[in-house]
Structure formats: structure tokens, C-alpha cells
Amino acid sequence: MNHLDKLEAQSVHILREAYREFKNICMLWSIGKDSTVLLWLARKAFFGHVPIPLVHIDTHYKIPEMIEYRDDLALKWKLTMVYGENSEALAQKKTFPDGKVDRITCCQSLKSEALKNTLSGEWNRYVMDHKTGKYVPDNNREKYTGVIVGVRADEEGSRSKERYFSPRDRENDWDVGDQPPEFWNQFKTDFAPGTHIRIHPLLDWTELNIWEYIERENIPITSLYFDQGEGKRYRSLGCYPCTTPVESTSKNVGEIIEELKSGKFANIAERSGRAQDKDDGGGLETLRRGGYM
């Protein structure tokens, strides 16, 4: 068993434990490479079927190709695809692109607040109708008590403080100092009633591991990660007003792997093209304490 096999086995184990221990959980799908690998692992864990709803928080500022990719894969893999949004903030144009708020406030509103209220069922949710390929209001307003997320410890500073099973309070707020120990692959899953749980099956994966696994498994990902002839590609995906591509001529997965191994990005944070991180003091801890992914 090689290193990728061990990572895969651990992640599959975490997914099955989460499904067994927690009622009414969902999985966040940001459409990026990490959460798509997580989705692939879920299909492996449950023998080709994903029994967990996929939830996407749509800010309406995602790169259009991301939404197209999301819906195409949801139809192909027969996923229960749900999205939520902060419709009030969007209607009132209280966003950074509209010049009404700064980037951090925009993220808190369109992502953190939208996520919290989508998970709780307090705001409208929309689910894909596979007969039409369109989204319709989701009649299921039951609260999601846990959410599976594709974050990695090496991706960004605050994420290195996470656990595989990470408790939040009823408001989704994160107390970084109140995390359960996880020694020798022993995980705490018996939390007090009302605790919101974040589950992180990819915590020990690295960016290189993700790309090596994508290559090995031939996982379909959005073409935004590849150079389309302009000498640039996206290394991390987000809202288009706050995400810039990196200088790179990698046109396929193998070339990205070689680029990572050669050290081109060895000392450059993966999210260096995400402007909201810089506005948050170079990290995401302020946003993540309040419920951001």
C-alpha cells in the first residue's frame, strides 16, 4: 500500500464514520479540485452512489465555467445537488463588486451567512430536478447537523488547526481552542446535542497528493486549472472579482504535478491569488471563526 492508498483508505473511513454517526449531514462542494476529490472518494466509500446531499453556496460571482461544470457532473453522477444563497444581500447589491462593502464583509455575507442559514434551513434552498436539469425550491427544510468539507491542513494557516471531526456551536462559530484531541486514529464523535460538526476527510492531504490522485484516478475537473494558451491558470478557484490566475504553462495534470515537484510554487501559498485572504491579515481565521469554509 503506497502513500496515496493510505490517504484514500483514511478518507473513506472518515466518510463512512460520519455517515454512520451523524444524522442529516451534507457535503460542501465548492467545485474546486479538493472538494471534487472528496466527492470522488464518497463515490468510492458508498460503491458509486453518494447518499449525502451536495451543497454549494452560490455567491453569483463564481466563474461561469464553474457552475456549468457543477451542473454537468451533478446530472452525470445523479447527485442530490443543492445550492443556497444570500438573496437579500444580492438584491440590495451589498457586495464588494457593487462597491457597497469590503471584501471581508462580502465574504461574510455571501459565504458565511449564506452557509449558516442554508445549513439551518432558515433560508431557501434549491435542489436540482434531474428531469429538467433545472433548480427548484427544496421542500426539505430540515437542518443539516453536520457538513463534510474538503479542506486541507497545508492549504492555509487556520485550516492547520482543524480536526477530522471539528465541533462548532449552534451558530456555526468555531472556538479554535476547543478542539478534541485525535490520537492514534481515535476520533471523538459523541458531541453534545445541538453541536454542529464539520468533518474534514482530506485534512492530511497535500496539494501534490490531490493532483497525484486526480491523475491516478482520472478524475474529471474543470479546465480552469489548466493553461489555455495564455501562460496562466487558476491554482485556487473562488469568486472572479477576488481570484486571479497564476503564471503557469501547465496544460494538463501531469505538467501541474511536475510544476509542484520542481519547486515553482514551493514557497507560494496556494491561495495567494485570493484577495480576501490578504484583507484578512494574510489568512482566513477571522472569516473561519464565523463559519467560513
Side-chain angles (χ1 to χ4, degrees), residues 1-167:
M1 180 179 286
N2 63 27
H3 186 56
L4 283 183
D5 292 330
K6 292 177 181 177
L7 288 171
E8 178 189 71
Q10 176 81 323
S11 297
V12 165
H13 171 66
I14 296 295
L15 286 164
R16 289 173 175 166
E17 280 290 293
Y19 186 66
R20 182 172 68 91
E21 293 290 338
F22 303 111
K23 295 181 179 179
N24 205 34
I25 60 173
C26 66
M27 181 185 299
L28 286 188
W29 188 22
S30 70
I31 315 169
K33 66 186 185 308
D34 301 309
S35 59
T36 302
V37 164
L38 184 60
L39 173 56
W40 184 268
L41 288 163
R43 295 178 79 231
K44 281 203 166 189
F46 303 108
F47 308 100
H49 169 63
V50 182
I52 304 165
L54 275 293
V55 173
H56 179 236
I57 302 304
D58 195 346
T59 65
H60 292 266
Y61 289 106
K62 297 298 183 184
I63 303 169
E65 290 91 329
M66 295 172 66
I67 303 302
E68 182 181 350
Y69 166 81
R70 177 196 72 185
D71 293 346
D72 286 348
L73 212 56
L75 286 168
K76 181 179 179 181
W77 288 352
K78 298 179 173 60
L79 304 172
T80 302
M81 188 69 237
V82 176
Y83 83 81
E85 63 184 11
N86 189 337
S87 56
E88 182 178 343
L90 289 166
Q92 296 178 4
K93 297 187 181 299
K94 292 181 178 179
T95 71
F96 172 74
D98 288 306
K100 298 289 185 67
V101 298
D102 60 26
R103 284 190 174 94
I104 298 300
T105 302
C106 187
C107 276
Q108 288 172 333
S109 176
L110 298 189
K111 294 182 179 180
S112 300
E113 287 298 313
L115 175 63
K116 179 173 72 174
N117 288 285
T118 297
L119 295 178
S120 70
E122 294 178 60
W123 289 359
N124 290 333
R125 297 194 291 230
Y126 302 89
V127 62
M128 175 178 277
D129 181 343
H130 281 258
K131 292 181 180 179
T132 64
K134 306 296 184 182
Y135 286 87
V136 297
D138 188 358
N139 294 324
N140 176 20
R141 302 297 289 269
E142 188 176 359
K143 178 180 180 179
Y144 293 124
T145 54
V147 56
I148 302 169
V149 188
V151 305
R152 307 189 328 266
D154 79 319
E155 187 178 4
E156 179 272 328
S158 69
R159 289 169 173 167
S160 66
K161 302 175 184 179
E162 288 283 11
R163 298 290 189 269
Y164 276 107
F165 293 91
S166 177

Side-chain angles (χ1 to χ4, degrees), residues 161-180:
K161 302 175 184 179
E162 288 283 11
R163 298 290 189 269
Y164 276 107
F165 293 91
S166 177
R168 264 68 170 172
D169 67 17
R170 293 176 183 270
E171 299 300 317
N172 282 350
D173 291 337
W174 180 39
D175 183 350
V176 182
D178 183 25
Q179 297 289 291

Side-chain angles (χ1 to χ4, degrees), residues 87-283:
S87 56
E88 182 178 343
L90 289 166
Q92 296 178 4
K93 297 187 181 299
K94 292 181 178 179
T95 71
F96 172 74
D98 288 306
K100 298 289 185 67
V101 298
D102 60 26
R103 284 190 174 94
I104 298 300
T105 302
C106 187
C107 276
Q108 288 172 333
S109 176
L110 298 189
K111 294 182 179 180
S112 300
E113 287 298 313
L115 175 63
K116 179 173 72 174
N117 288 285
T118 297
L119 295 178
S120 70
E122 294 178 60
W123 289 359
N124 290 333
R125 297 194 291 230
Y126 302 89
V127 62
M128 175 178 277
D129 181 343
H130 281 258
K131 292 181 180 179
T132 64
K134 306 296 184 182
Y135 286 87
V136 297
D138 188 358
N139 294 324
N140 176 20
R141 302 297 289 269
E142 188 176 359
K143 178 180 180 179
Y144 293 124
T145 54
V147 56
I148 302 169
V149 188
V151 305
R152 307 189 328 266
D154 79 319
E155 187 178 4
E156 179 272 328
S158 69
R159 289 169 173 167
S160 66
K161 302 175 184 179
E162 288 283 11
R163 298 290 189 269
Y164 276 107
F165 293 91
S166 177
R168 264 68 170 172
D169 67 17
R170 293 176 183 270
E171 299 300 317
N172 282 350
D173 291 337
W174 180 39
D175 183 350
V176 182
D178 183 25
Q179 297 289 291
E182 292 181 340
F183 299 128
W184 306 293
N185 287 336
Q186 300 298 307
F187 308 112
K188 177 179 173 61
T189 57
D190 56 333
F191 296 98
T195 303
H196 175 74
I197 306 300
R198 297 282 176 92
I199 301 116
H200 304 111
L202 299 182
L203 207 56
D204 286 338
W205 293 59
T206 65
E207 183 183 6
L208 178 59
N209 295 151
I210 291 291
W211 283 110
E212 289 176 331
Y213 191 72
I214 289 170
E215 181 180 54
R216 189 183 86 171
E217 301 288 310
N218 195 27
I219 300 172
I221 60 169
T222 173
S223 62
L224 292 167
Y225 283 112
F226 308 120
D227 172 28
Q228 303 297 317
E230 298 179 355
K232 294 181 179 181
R233 67 176 183 85
Y234 286 93
R235 191 177 174 201
S236 178
L237 297 179
C239 296
Y240 62 78
C242 299
T243 308
T244 56
V246 296
E247 300 288 336
S248 170
T249 57
S250 293
K251 293 180 172 60
N252 55 55
V253 176
E255 290 180 2
I256 290 176
I257 290 172
E258 184 59 33
E259 190 175 60
L260 289 170
K261 286 182 174 180
S262 71
K264 176 180 174 65
F265 292 121
N267 298 310
I268 302 175
E270 183 176 347
R271 291 175 59 96
S272 59
R274 304 286 284 273
Q276 70 269 41
D277 292 26
K278 298 179 179 69
D279 288 2
D280 197 15

